[in-house]
Amino acid sequence: MRPATLLRRCALILLASLPLASLPAEAEVAEPPGLWTGPMVGETPATLNGATVIDVPTLEGMLEGPVLLIDVGKAARRPDNLPEDTLWKPVHRSIPGAAWFPGGGAGDLPPEQARALLGRIDELAKGDKDAVLVTFCKPNCWGSWNLGKRLVEAGYRQVHWLPAGIDGWQELHDAVPVQPQPGWPPEGE
Amino acid sequence: MGMNQNRRMACAGLVLAPLLAIAGPVLAAGGTDQEREERWQDLRQSIFGERPVEDGVGLITLEAPARALDAALVPLTIRIAPEQRDRVAAVHLVIDDNPSPYAARASFGPAGDPAVLRLRVRIDGYTNVHAVAETKDGRLFGTAAFVKASGGCSAPIGVSDEVAMQGMGEMKLRPGGPDTHGEATLLIRHPNFSGMQMNQLTRTYTPARYLDLVRISQGDQTVLELAGDISLASDPAIGFAYRPGEADAFTVLATDSDGGSWQESFPIPANTQ
């Protein structure tokens, strides 16, 4: 967000925060009926039907037991026309122990990718539909909402969504470099 | 966290930034020190080969916000200690966790003064930023700052590509203020497309197009030659210092990665020395 925009928005919010202000508060984003296929970066709903929305302190408590952390943050894409001699060393930092499926949060994954994603998660969860799952990416990222939705629809009963994402985690904790899950994305893509 | 809350936090940041910079949780280099140091050593090897980077205390400093208000526009100031200025030939800027980490190299000519260099950069994640001074005899002295920023390299520019490219190559030169005597800021209109910015509606990436060289001269003497990369923010602002010279104008040559080339001259701000 550019500073001018930010300032304008701040001005609006400050106005909206005044008790007597007549400006309406920003409308809540409603949950879409299915997976979200619109722009992947933007305001997300406050809820995810069938899943639990958590913050970082709640996650800290949960991490005392077994938790499957699933990161669907995007991988950095090397620009096609970047000169060959440009130093290119992308690193993806995540919550320690997280399984990373770059781009796995798309709402319109081809069926074979969706199958591969759920298949790998089933492996990691050892086939247990009561496994504790946490999905995340960055703030304002529909990807982790979508994956949460996908997992609920796949029958998992303990799906958690961390909207604060990796940024929220990094406020207080280490984030470590991770590699994409083996076999992801499946060949042919 | 909803966007709303984010904005409020960003707003609080605008007001509280100076306090937060001091009072925020201090995680030395963001936590995983050893792994971050390994990454830096790997980058150092790629950029400088076998040359070690020595501790730059007393020679070079890097001023950076602890938390970026806008990850696509993070102001950085690199300073060289006055008594060390004549030793320094170049300054390198490395943003460790950016996908393209080697953000800029500034070489100083006879009319240049390494005392201060100000740049605005894109920062992609919570990362160390290294500034490295290179002396005329080839030694390297470094310093680092940890910056909390997110997504600066892929942040959309906020307007259409066409609008962002309007007036590309136009330049302005701002003289320094009373406290920054002998300094000036060069502003160049250029989107500096990173190649990582996606148009959310068409889902296509705008190809990279960035300033790869900016040379500022006084007459036939070079002040500064800046080699840039996709990590420089759009509409680059380059703050630099210079030595009084014979010529009465700066000449600026800027070229970009698409073969664009622009040249301008500016009268040198009145010298009060």
Side-chain angles (χ1 to χ4, degrees):
Chain A
M1 194 182 298
R2 299 173 71 97
T5 319
L6 183 63
L7 278 168
R8 263 199 306 280
R9 287 190 175 150
C10 288
L12 277 175
I13 288 163
L14 285 174
L15 283 174
S17 308
L18 293 174
L20 297 176
S22 54
L23 287 170
E26 214 164 309
E28 297 268 312
V29 174
E31 287 194 41
L35 295 169
W36 173 257
T37 54
M40 294 305 285
V41 180
E43 195 162 355
T44 47
T47 55
L48 173 48
N49 195 13
T52 310
V53 181
I54 58 167
D55 57 14
V56 172
T58 306
L59 175 61
E60 287 166 358
M62 291 167 59
L63 287 173
E64 285 165 20
V67 173
L68 177 56
L69 296 159
I70 312 169
D71 180 355
V72 289
K74 278 175 69 176
R77 169 189 172 277
R78 185 184 169 106
D80 297 331
N81 60 336
L82 203 63
E84 265 181 39
D85 59 356
T86 300
L87 183 62
W88 180 261
K89 293 210 174 205
V91 58
H92 183 82
R93 290 183 184 277
S94 194
I95 302 176
W100 180 35
F101 297 89
D108 50 4
L109 285 180
E112 69 277 12
Q113 284 202 18
R115 269 196 304 277
L117 178 69
L118 289 175
R120 179 65 184 148
I121 290 172
D122 183 62
E123 253 175 62
L124 293 169
K126 300 187 177 70
D128 179 6
K129 293 284 194 240
D130 284 313
V132 179
L133 311 180
V134 175
T135 70
F136 65 98
C137 44
K138 288 188 174 194
N140 303 313
C141 153
W142 276 94
S144 53
W145 190 94
N146 270 348
L147 181 61
K149 182 85 179 168
R150 218 182 262 283
L151 293 171
V152 168
E153 288 175 350
Y156 288 95
R157 287 179 286 267
Q158 296 206 55
V159 179
H160 301 75
W161 174 45
L162 179 74
I166 188 62
D167 290 8
W169 175 260
Q170 285 197 106
E171 285 305 312
L172 294 167
H173 301 281
D174 296 353
V176 298
V178 294
Q179 296 300 320
Q181 277 294 295
W184 179 264
E187 302 251 336
E189 287 303 310
Chain B
M1 185 185 300
M3 188 82 161
N4 241 336
Q5 196 180 343
N6 261 348
R7 284 188 195 143
R8 286 204 184 100
M9 285 177 60
C11 294
L14 276 184
V15 180
L16 300 174
L19 298 173
L20 288 174
I22 298 160
V26 180
L27 296 174
T32 47
D33 286 351
Q34 189 190 337
E35 174 275 320
R36 287 187 188 272
E37 176 60 19
E38 281 165 17
R39 179 166 173 89
W40 163 240
Q41 290 305 331
D42 180 39
L43 296 173
R44 181 196 58 75
Q45 176 95 23
S46 299
I47 297 168
F48 304 113
E50 293 308 315
R51 286 192 285 168
V53 175
E54 302 170 54
D55 187 342
V57 167
L59 192 150
I60 185 169
T61 59
L62 169 63
E63 294 159 26
R67 178 184 301 277
L69 291 176
D70 181 348
L73 199 80
V74 184
L76 302 178
T77 303
I78 300 168
R79 293 182 195 277
I80 302 294
E83 66 278 12
Q84 303 280 354
R85 275 183 227 177
D86 294 338
R87 288 178 73 188
V88 173
V91 163
H92 307 260
L93 180 69
V94 182
I95 303 169
D96 291 22
D97 277 8
N98 273 10
S100 176
Y102 193 10
R105 184 191 69 236
S107 313
F108 303 97
D113 180 352
V116 63
L117 178 68
R118 297 175 210 271
L119 297 171
R120 300 192 306 200
V121 298
R122 299 176 168 134
I123 298 188
D124 219 37
Y126 289 30
T127 180
N128 281 325
V129 178
H130 280 88
V132 176
E134 181 169 3
T135 61
K136 289 171 180 165
D137 58 0
R139 286 172 72 184
L140 302 167
F141 296 90
T143 187
F146 192 75
V147 178
K148 293 180 173 182
S150 182
C153 294
S154 55
I157 221 154
V159 293
S160 71
D161 294 355
E162 292 71 26
V163 171
M165 287 167 74
Q166 275 169 16
M168 190 158 59
E170 286 174 12
M171 302 182 205
K172 282 184 192 164
L173 190 98
R174 269 195 209 135
D179 298 332
T180 49
H181 161 74
E183 292 179 24
T185 302
L186 174 68
L187 303 150
I188 307 179
R189 183 139 174 81
H190 196 290
N192 232 54
F193 290 127
S194 70
M196 296 173 63
Q197 295 153 319
M198 185 194 255
N199 180 321
Q200 283 225 72
L201 295 177
T202 62
R203 293 207 186 177
T204 55
Y205 288 90
T206 304
R209 180 168 186 175
Y210 55 95
L211 288 170
D212 53 8
L213 178 80
V214 178
R215 183 189 296 133
I216 306 169
S217 316
Q218 285 186 46
D220 57 4
Q221 290 198 316
T222 299
V223 174
L224 175 78
E225 197 170 285
L226 182 80
D229 184 69
I230 58 173
S231 292
L232 290 187
S234 59
D235 296 334
I238 303 162
F240 63 97
Y242 55 94
R243 296 176 202 267
E246 304 282 302
D248 56 4
F250 288 121
T251 306
V252 180
L253 170 71
T255 63
D256 79 8
S257 56
D258 259 25
S261 179
W262 302 274
Q263 193 159 332
E264 287 268 3
S265 285
F266 301 96
I268 292 176
N271 203 324
T272 53
Q273 251 181 1

